[in-house]
Amino acid sequence: MQYLLAAIVVLPLAGAVASLLPAPPGLKGKSPEQAVLRHGVTVTGVVLALSIALAAGFDHDSPARMQATTDISWIPALNIRIHLGVDGVSLPLLVLTALLTFLCALYSYFKMPSGPSPKAFVALLLVLESGTLATFAVLDLMLFFLAFEMVLIPMYFLIARWGGEGREHAAWRFILYTLLGSVVMLLGLLLVGIKGGTFDMVALATDNGSKLSHTTQLIAVLAIGLGLAVKAPMWPLHSWLPDAHTAAPTVGSVLLAGVLLKMGTYGFVRIVLPIAPDGAHTFAPYLAAFAAVGIIYGSLVCLNLARRGAKGDLKRLIAYSSVGHMGFVLLGIATLTPTGLNGALFANIAHGLITGLLFFLVGAVKDRYGTSDLDALSGRTGAALYGKAPRLGGLLAFGAIASLGLPGLAGFWGEMLAMFGAFRPAEGLSRPAFLTFMALAGLGTLLTAAYMLVVVRRVCMGGDGGSSRPLTAGTAENAPADVLSYEFAAWTPLVALTVLAGLWPAALLGLTDPAVQQLLRGGN
């Protein structure tokens, strides 16, 4: 098992190096470009298979225990170790990352975004996967920081070189926000490691802040929390996200929403809560307040973008919806209760599945009609997907109702548990304040339903009297098509898992709950 986890983390990096080498003559196929894209599908497919094998071999009777561990001295002078392991918190995120990256590689094999050489694209995609997987697998603070930073450069280039209009501005904004947040986070991690006597996350969690003074915990939580909040993204540190999503290629948006945003919230659960519990308790009401404002703010912006005549962009709308959905995750974390934390972790996975599917669908609509402008898509000559592409329209409607939290689908449970956690927060937190935050979150669910249903009505039904400008198809080949075979292959797993998680939440909660209980007890 330990070799399996190490292979999952290292294999994409080795595959990235191999993708830059000339393809062997027997594997070139029709062209070198086809060969390297097939290489990306193969490597990500192997990583997914290994991740599934790791999940199958995981001891589900002891999900709170770190399993498949590797612990090797790396820099003895600084007491930094190559320490890997997974438990019930990190395993679902590891599998989600492997799944979404494979689906993106498969989608790109048939629909490569326009831009430079596919070699660089595949290499960057694999480096991005390796960094994300490492973030969820490492158990050393310095390794966590390195893995956390490792994903920034490939995502920057994916946006800047293969993105759409405004890609350079969006890429620079993304890298500057996240790097500035990371610098502050590094200072907090160094403070914890120096004062705690180790960078080992398991040992620090077991100490449960006993070696850190109250002042040290406050400074550490503030510094680490700011860096994590930028990546989450928490309002008002979210402003890089809409531009990045709007400009990114389809697979870039899927990975950014599906896995990169989860790195910030994972850091709160894995590092902040067990290592600096006093500091987390002090800042929890502020985190909850920002989360509640983010839920309302994201929903109101989406409502504005969805209205007729607003010239709203569908990709931008889905991006702002992520601000609201991740607000539920942060609210669940801020309650400091097992119920709230389980809801946060469940909402993480649900958001990755549903929003990943939505960005795939929006990308398909843009490919067919040459735009993601809502007024153009809903005008008299617009998309009208129910009539022109009924399967695509049905999938978009499915993604929308899953995103608004319909009971029986994955989006419901995380939001409900986060609000339940806010109904009765941890001891010492102001219950009236958290009841207010819960009420705001409940209002956010109503606003989410409103804008999602408006989007479905306008795009899928069309004919709302908007722009009469004829839509231009992305390509002559794709213009008349409904859901194509490669799209069906890439989207079906996300649909199936969204339904499965909604109907059988115990499969995921059974993994996370024991691990959450242990983290809140300080790893004991």
Side-chain angles (χ1 to χ4, degrees):
M1 290 285 283
Q2 69 184 84
Y3 296 120
L4 199 59
L5 180 59
I8 289 170
V9 173
V10 174
L11 184 60
L13 205 56
V17 174
S19 67
L20 299 175
L21 302 175
L27 297 178
K28 283 186 178 180
K30 295 179 180 178
S31 68
E33 288 77 12
Q34 186 190 47
V36 74
L37 291 171
R38 186 168 59 246
H39 169 78
V41 175
T42 302
V43 174
T44 56
V46 171
V47 172
L48 176 59
L50 294 177
S51 301
I52 294 172
L54 180 69
F58 188 82
D59 184 0
H60 292 261
D61 293 329
S62 304
R65 177 174 59 86
M66 281 295 171
Q67 301 181 37
T69 55
T70 298
D71 193 1
I72 303 170
S73 179
W74 184 35
I75 307 177
L78 300 177
N79 196 24
I80 298 175
R81 309 181 66 80
I82 298 177
H83 192 183
L84 307 176
V86 290
D87 62 357
V89 169
S90 53
L91 181 64
L93 291 167
L94 203 75
V95 177
L96 176 68
T97 300
L99 172 64
L100 285 177
T101 311
F102 169 70
L103 297 180
C104 286
L106 179 65
Y107 187 86
S108 300
Y109 179 77
F110 295 96
K111 186 65 179 178
M112 171 70 193
S114 59
S117 165
K119 278 192 173 186
F121 177 83
V122 170
L124 290 169
L125 191 69
L126 292 174
V127 171
L128 181 67
E129 179 181 33
S130 181
T132 311
L133 290 169
T135 301
F136 299 134
V138 297
L139 297 172
D140 183 279
L141 290 179
M142 290 298 100
L143 280 184
F144 176 84
F145 176 77
L146 292 176
F148 199 85
E149 296 304 289
M150 184 176 168
V151 305
L152 300 185
I153 299 303
M155 182 53 73
Y156 166 81
F157 281 109
L158 286 174
I159 296 172
R161 302 300 297 276
W162 287 272
E165 184 180 353
R167 60 183 181 269
E168 292 185 2
H169 171 75
W172 273 110
R173 196 167 187 179
F174 163 75
I175 199 75
L176 287 175
Y177 265 76
T178 50
L179 278 179
L180 286 173
S182 297
V183 169
V184 179
M185 183 177 73
L186 176 61
L187 297 176
L189 295 175
L190 288 172
L191 177 64
V192 169
I194 292 170
K195 294 293 186 179
T198 180
F199 290 105
D200 187 273
M201 291 156 66
V202 176
L204 288 167
T206 303
D207 289 339
N208 203 211
S210 61
K211 295 181 180 179
L212 305 177
S213 68
H214 183 69
T215 302
T216 299
Q217 290 194 36
L218 290 178
I219 297 172
V221 170
L222 184 60
I224 298 171
L226 280 174
L228 297 174
V230 171
K231 188 67 72 72
M234 181 186 77
W235 180 91
L237 303 175
H238 69 284
S239 59
W240 61 270
L241 182 70
D243 288 340
H245 270 309
T246 305
T250 296
V251 295
S253 294
V254 170
L255 292 175
L256 183 58
V259 293
L260 263 68
L261 302 188
K262 312 303 176 284
M263 294 164 59
T265 52
Y266 172 78
F268 276 107
V269 176
R270 176 66 71 200
I271 298 174
V272 174
L273 267 59
I275 293 177
D278 292 345
H281 192 280
T282 300
F283 284 107
Y286 303 100
L287 179 62
F290 284 125
V293 172
I295 293 170
I296 299 298
Y297 171 81
S299 300
L300 289 176
V301 172
C302 289
L303 266 177
N304 181 61
L305 291 172
R307 67 183 175 86
R308 179 180 167 187
K311 293 295 181 183
D313 185 277
L314 189 51
K315 283 190 75 174
R316 196 172 189 85
L317 185 146
I318 302 301
Y320 270 109
S321 76
S322 292
V323 176
H325 289 307
M326 296 309 291
F328 280 98
V329 178
L330 293 170
L331 177 62
I333 293 171
T335 66
L336 304 182
T337 63
T339 302
L341 281 178
N342 278 306
L345 294 172
F346 199 103
N348 257 346
I349 301 300
H351 180 264
L353 296 171
I354 296 167
T355 309
L357 174 64
L358 283 172
F359 275 117
F360 269 134
L361 293 168
V362 174
V365 170
K366 189 171 184 178
D367 289 339
R368 285 158 171 76
Y369 298 103
T371 183
S372 53
D373 179 84
L374 270 168
D375 286 340
L377 290 172
S378 60
R380 286 187 294 273
T381 58
L385 292 178
Y386 286 157
K388 297 179 181 178
R391 293 183 181 86
L392 184 59
L395 283 171
L396 183 61
F398 172 84
I401 62 173
S403 183
L404 62 84
L406 185 75
L409 298 177
F412 171 74
W413 296 105
E415 295 180 0
M416 184 194 71
L417 290 172
M419 288 191 286
F420 275 2
F423 180 74
R424 197 173 298 279
E427 186 178 350
L429 297 177
S430 171
R431 193 178 181 209
F434 273 82
L435 287 175
T436 303
F437 303 145
M438 183 193 73
L440 291 173
L443 175 60
T445 62
L446 298 177
L447 295 174
T448 301
Y451 72 73
M452 279 297 180
L453 292 176
V454 169
V455 167
V456 170
R457 178 181 61 80
R458 298 189 71 201
V459 178
C460 295
M461 303 175 76
D464 66 353
S467 171
S468 59
R469 176 176 59 87
L471 294 176
T472 56
T475 66
E477 178 185 349
N478 286 347
D482 199 344
V483 177
L484 303 174
S485 57
Y486 71 90
E487 293 172 333
F488 182 80
W491 303 343
T492 298
L494 300 179
V495 173
L497 289 173
T498 298
V499 175
L500 180 63
L503 295 178
W504 190 28
L508 183 56
L509 293 174
L511 279 175
T512 61
D513 185 55
V516 162
Q517 299 274 3
Q518 180 161 301
L519 281 173
L520 289 175
R521 292 195 301 267
N524 297 310

